[in-house]
């Protein structure tokens, strides 16, 4: 017998158990036992229903102490709809004999008890389902008291379920926040548009959905970029849908900047590549990716999971916003990269001259990941006397001002050298031009004229304005340094530059470079300058293009720090036989015009 004080203690323990429970079913023992100990109560039956009147669970326990009967099912009972509560719990009392089996699956158990009456309470657990708690009582029971206890037990069950849902929402919110943070890190770590989009797809599956499609908006419509699915076979089908399906293309084309996440299921998916059976009904959501007032693409998620595991619109909108900003940044970076590379190309010669006896090549490596225009420049200039002038330089800093000085320096030196001005005078006149322009940056440069001689060698005349000394790779693999030195350009008004002479023999290679090559540094602090002679010597016998490309590649691989551009200009002297002759440039051009 359970008096009011004993019931109060049982109810208190029930509240304590409810605060710890991770699922409502765990409360069954704490609910059933005190109710069965109530005078006149012979049986307790609990049921769990889906919103569409589908019975999911039933548990019956009698006062005789026999093992409980537990039934897990998916039994559809449309007649039970009359019992479904709209809001607050509903307590009813009646005769067991009056129960309609079409609405009361509990009736089969309740009729077996000695009692002739039933006290039942139906109550809503959440938007997707409801439950019932029924007890069979005999004539000795205080029906009002039993009804009150059933209602109190239901209050605890509802509060327990609400707490479980709240804790689940909090845990999910924490997981969502962690996922969004990880998504931002992953997406922001790449400035390549398509790589960013692929990262979006990989992050989303299976954490957010079972499948994901990502499209980029182009002028002629959505362009498929990436797809992923937890099942490999379905991923292939998803990729085909993303590329070619007209239903999906039409859906994505209708999305605009103001749209929030759109969920589609059931009849809305008819005619789509997502219609079909499965353990769970397929749900599709489409999120528009819009950033800075324009649509940049879309994410389509495919779900084949229970409804309670679907993300909410707020989460999808947040993920879409982060993805859109990452994609937009990548798009802006791509546009900037193209603009910078185009400008950089205009600051460098489109091609080097083809001169008999010479193998000329160059390499340029952009070192700044932010892609500001660098200040490195080079050129090869045929001169009136048949010689060739090589020039290479480096403007301090990056950006628009550096680009302007780069153009000024290269074109000034090229014009002067084409006219036959000697290297020292050309550098002095460039220095004067920089001072007159009021340039706030200095630059380094080196000019080498290469004049073939009758004995098959080449006379090198070198003038330098604070630039790294050129190196010579001899035919035997030895390395020589071209002596040169002078003050930086743009520092003082009147500066003169001395010339230094050296020579090349057939098979020798002259290498000019900017300090981005020598100052590339390993993680331990070692500079590429210390290994450059050995690396260059190992390239003995290589043509100019291989020397330039190999050194640039090796420096890039070597570099753990440093973001300076690397420019190389390489000239290999192959030699000219006496029958070739050595003619001034004007004669060569005249002969070419007569052909």
């Amino acid at each position: 017998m359970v008096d009011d004080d004993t019931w109060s203690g049982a109810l208190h323990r029930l509240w304590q158990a409810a605060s710890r429970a991770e699922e409502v079913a765990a409360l069954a023992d704490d609910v059933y036992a005190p109710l069965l100990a109530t005078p006149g109560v012979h049986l307790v039956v609990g049921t769990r229903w889906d919103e569409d009147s589908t019975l999911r669970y039933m548990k019956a326990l009698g006062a005789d102490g026999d093992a409980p009967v537990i039934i897990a099912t998916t039994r559809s009972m449309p007649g039970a709809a009359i019992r479904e509560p709209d809001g607050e719990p509903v307590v009813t009392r009646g005769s067991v004999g009056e129960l309609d089996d079409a609405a009361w699956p509990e009736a089969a158990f309740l009729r077996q008890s000695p009692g002739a009456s039933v006290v039942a309470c139906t109550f809503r657990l959440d938007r997707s389902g409801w439950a019932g708690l029924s007890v069979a009582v005999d004539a000795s029971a205080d029906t009002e008291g039993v009804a009150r206890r059933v209602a109190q037990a239901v209050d605890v069950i509802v509060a327990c379920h609400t707490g479980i849902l709240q804790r689940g929402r909090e845990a999910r919110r924490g997981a969502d926040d962690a996922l969004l943070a990880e998504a931002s890190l992953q997406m922001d770590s790449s400035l390549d548009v398509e790589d960013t989009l692929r990262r979006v797809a990989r992050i989303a599956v299976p954490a957010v959905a079972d499948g994901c499609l990502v499209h980029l908006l182009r002028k002629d419509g959505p362009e498929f970029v990436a797809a992923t699915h937890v099942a490999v076979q379905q991923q292939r089908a998803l990729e085909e849908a993303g590329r070619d399906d007209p239903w999906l293309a039409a859906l994505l084309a209708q999305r605009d900047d103001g749209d929030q996440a759109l969920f589609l299921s059931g009849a809305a998916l008819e005619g789509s590549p997502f219609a079909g059976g499965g353990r769970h009904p397929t749900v599709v959501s489409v999120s528009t990716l819009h950033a800075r007032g324009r649509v940049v693409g879309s994410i389509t998620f495919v779900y084949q999971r229970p409804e309670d595991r679907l993300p909410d619109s707020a989460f999808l909108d947040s993920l879409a916003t982060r993805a859109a900003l990452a994609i937009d940044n990548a798009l802006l970076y791509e546009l900037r990269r193209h603009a910078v590379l185009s400008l950089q190309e205009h600051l460098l010669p489109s091609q080097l001259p083809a001169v008999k006896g010479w193998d000329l090549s160059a390499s340029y490596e952009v070192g700044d990941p932010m892609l500001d225009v660098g200040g490195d420049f080079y050129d090869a200039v045929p001169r009136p006397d048949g010689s060739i002038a090589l020039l290479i330089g480096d403007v301090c800093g990056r950006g628009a001002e550096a680009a302007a000085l780069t153009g000024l320096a290269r074109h000034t030196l090229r014009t002067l050298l084409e006219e036959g001005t000697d290297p020292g005078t050309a550098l002095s006149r460039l220095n004067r031009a920089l001072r007159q322009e009021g340039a706030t940056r200095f630059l380094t440069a080196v000019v080498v004229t290469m004049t073939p001689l009758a004995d098959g060698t080449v006379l090198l005349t070198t003038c330098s304005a604070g630039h790294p000394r050129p190196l010579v790779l001899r035919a035997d693999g030895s390395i020589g340094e071209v002596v040169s030195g002078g003050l930086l350009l743009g520092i003082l008004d009147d500066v003169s530059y001395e010339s230094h002479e050296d020579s090349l023999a057939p098979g020798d290679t002259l290498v000019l470079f900017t300090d981005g090559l020598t100052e590339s540094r390993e993680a331990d602090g070692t500079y590429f300058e210390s290994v450059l002679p050995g690396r260059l010597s190992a390239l003995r016998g290589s043509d100019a293009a291989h020397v330039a490309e190999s050194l640039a590649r090796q420096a890039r691989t070597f570099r753990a720090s440093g973001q300076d551009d690397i420019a190389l200009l390489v000239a290999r002297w192959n030699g000219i036989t006496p029958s070739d002759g050595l003619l001034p440039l004007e004669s060569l051009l005249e002969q070419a015009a007569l052909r």
Side-chain angles (χ1 to χ4, degrees), residues 222-238:
E223 175 188 323
F224 169 74
V225 176
T228 187
H229 197 283
V230 291
V232 175
Q233 290 183 341
Q234 294 191 49
Q235 177 166 333
R236 296 192 187 101
L238 203 60

Side-chain angles (χ1 to χ4, degrees), residues 550-573:
S550 178
L551 289 179
R553 183 178 62 254
Q554 291 184 54
R556 184 178 65 249
T557 303
F558 183 89
R559 177 163 56 193
S561 64
Q563 297 180 344
D564 202 1
D565 291 0
I566 298 173
L568 288 120
L569 182 58
V570 178
R572 176 183 169 88
W573 173 239

Side-chain angles (χ1 to χ4, degrees), residues 402-426:
L405 289 182
T406 297
L408 172 65
R410 177 183 162 235
H411 290 293
T412 298
L413 288 176
R414 179 180 180 88
T415 299
L416 293 172
L417 293 169
E418 279 181 334
E419 294 175 349
T421 307
D422 66 88
T425 302

Side-chain angles (χ1 to χ4, degrees), residues 107-126:
F109 295 101
L110 294 170
R111 293 192 186 104
Q112 297 174 11
S113 67
S117 300
V118 60
V119 177
C121 181
T122 55
F123 53 96
R124 183 159 292 281
L125 288 173
D126 49 50

Side-chain angles (χ1 to χ4, degrees), residues 213 241 244-254 262 264-275 284 286 300:
L213 280 164
D244 305 319
D245 187 75
W247 183 94
L248 181 60
L251 175 66
L252 298 182
Q254 296 171 4
L262 171 68
L264 302 171
S265 61
L269 294 179
E270 291 182 5
S272 78
F274 311 111
V284 173
V286 181
T300 303

